[in-house]
């Protein structure tokens, strides 16, 4: 049995999502002893991607600098929350999906879809050249709306990347966050052109874009990936 502490933040989330009556508290007894405590420091950790053909085959994005993509999927049941949609929109705002790339946006629920519409995110996606679909699994299970062909590669925020999961047995699926996926849609098949962009949530990402573009300040470490991250923020400044 796995138990998670129920605190005020949990109750607030439930209330915001149609369950205002959750009043219980669940926490370990004071002084409880645990078999093992795991502390993970992610300071300076660059984004990671699950490579074919297992979700556990994880690599830093800097190790995947030369990959081109033909399809990007943001959403479905995983990573389709309104926060995920906002993250993807921040990357796509004012930019275009690269030529030869299909970028499919699938909000997870009707409520998220309507909130995207209310906040103007749908306009951002469509102006960028994305395909905005209904709340559905889409191509995640290899059913419809983005089935991969032989030799095609997708970056997706879905949850499985087994061989043939999204279509052809000769295709590849890389699992990532919405930010990495959106950046990959813009980079497309040109991962070596770089610029620096600021995420509104105070996370800095180095993203590959077609030139012309310049940086206001150099990155804190060598950047050769579609997306990697650092501590400071600075927005990319186009030269024209």
């Amino acid at each position: 049995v796995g138990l998670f502490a129920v605190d005020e933040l949990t109750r607030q989330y439930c209330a915001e999502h149609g369950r205002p009556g959750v009043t219980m508290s669940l926490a370990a007894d004071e002084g409880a002893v645990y078999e093992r405590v795991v502390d993970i420091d992610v300071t300076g950790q660059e984004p990671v991607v699950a490579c074919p053909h297992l979700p556990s085959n994880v690599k830093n994005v800097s190790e995947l600098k030369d990959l081109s993509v033909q399809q990007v999927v943001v959403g479905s049941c995983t990573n389709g929350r309104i926060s995920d949609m906002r993250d993807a929109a921040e990357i796509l705002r004012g930019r275009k999906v690269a030529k030869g790339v299909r970028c499919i946006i699938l909000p997870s629920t009707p409520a998220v879809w309507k909130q995207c519409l209310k906040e103007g995110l749908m306009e951002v996606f469509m102006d960028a050249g994305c395909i905005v679909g209904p709340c559905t699994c889409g191509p995640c299970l290899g059913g419809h709306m983005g089935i991969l062909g032989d030799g095609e590669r997708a970056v997706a925020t879905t949850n499985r990347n087994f061989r043939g999961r999204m279509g052809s047995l000769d295709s590849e699926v890389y699992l990532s966050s919405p930010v990495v996926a959106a950046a990959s849609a813009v980079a497309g098949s040109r991962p070596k052109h770089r610029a620096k962009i600021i995420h509104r949530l105070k996370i800095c990402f180095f993203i590959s874009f077609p030139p012309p573009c310049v940086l206001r300040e150099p990155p804190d470490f060598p950047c050769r990936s579609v997306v990697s991250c650092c501590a400071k923020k600075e927005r990319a400044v186009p030269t024209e």
Side-chain angles (χ1 to χ4, degrees):
V1 177
L3 299 177
F4 291 84
V6 176
D7 55 13
E8 184 56 36
L9 187 62
T10 307
R11 290 188 286 272
Q12 178 183 340
Y13 178 89
C14 291
E16 292 173 351
H17 292 80
R19 298 185 63 188
V22 176
T23 58
M24 68 176 293
S25 294
L26 178 63
D29 296 335
E30 185 176 352
V33 178
Y34 296 88
E35 177 183 337
R36 185 166 60 116
V37 176
V38 179
D39 293 318
I40 301 176
D41 183 3
V42 296
T43 303
Q45 171 67 52
E46 64 177 292
V48 296
V49 174
C51 302
H53 294 282
L54 286 172
S56 59
N57 185 21
V58 176
K59 296 181 180 180
N60 291 333
V61 291
S62 58
E63 300 178 60
L64 308 172
K65 60 182 180 178
D66 295 324
L67 293 179
S68 61
V69 298
Q70 288 73 47
Q71 179 165 292
V72 167
V73 180
V74 178
S76 82
C77 69
T78 48
N79 296 300
R81 299 159 293 190
I82 186 60
S83 59
D84 300 315
M85 297 292 107
R86 290 168 182 158
D87 288 352
E90 181 68 14
I91 300 298
L92 292 166
R93 193 183 308 275
R95 297 184 171 88
K96 295 291 185 181
V97 173
K99 184 177 181 180
V101 177
R102 306 180 298 273
C103 184
I104 304 168
I105 307 293
L106 302 171
S108 60
T109 68
V112 173
W113 208 104
K114 289 191 290 185
Q115 187 64 26
C116 287
L117 190 62
K118 181 179 180 180
E119 295 184 15
L121 304 186
M122 293 304 190
E123 185 175 359
V124 173
F125 296 143
M126 297 183 73
D127 287 348
C130 300
I131 303 165
V132 179
C135 308
T136 177
C137 295
C140 175
L141 75 168
H144 66 151
M145 292 184 63
I147 305 305
L148 296 177
D150 293 349
E152 288 195 312
R153 182 180 293 121
V155 175
T157 68
T158 53
N159 51 50
R160 297 290 184 270
N161 63 343
F162 306 134
R163 187 182 299 275
R165 169 78 179 192
M166 201 174 282
S168 171
L169 291 173
D170 293 325
S171 64
E172 293 182 343
V173 178
Y174 291 74
L175 305 179
S176 77
S177 70
V179 170
V180 173
S184 300
V186 176
S189 60
R190 297 163 292 188
K192 292 185 179 180
H193 299 303
R194 282 188 293 274
K196 189 155 88 172
I197 195 173
I198 297 306
H199 191 265
R200 189 169 290 170
L201 301 178
K202 297 183 179 180
I203 300 174
C204 171
F205 300 94
F206 295 95
I207 300 177
S208 305
F209 291 115
C213 212
V214 297
L215 302 179
R216 285 184 177 170
E217 61 184 35
D220 294 339
F221 55 85
C223 172
R224 301 185 180 88
S225 59
V226 173
V227 184
S228 52
C229 88
C230 70
K232 296 182 180 180
K233 64 176 183 177
E234 186 66 40
R235 187 171 295 276
V237 183
T239 56
E240 57 178 54

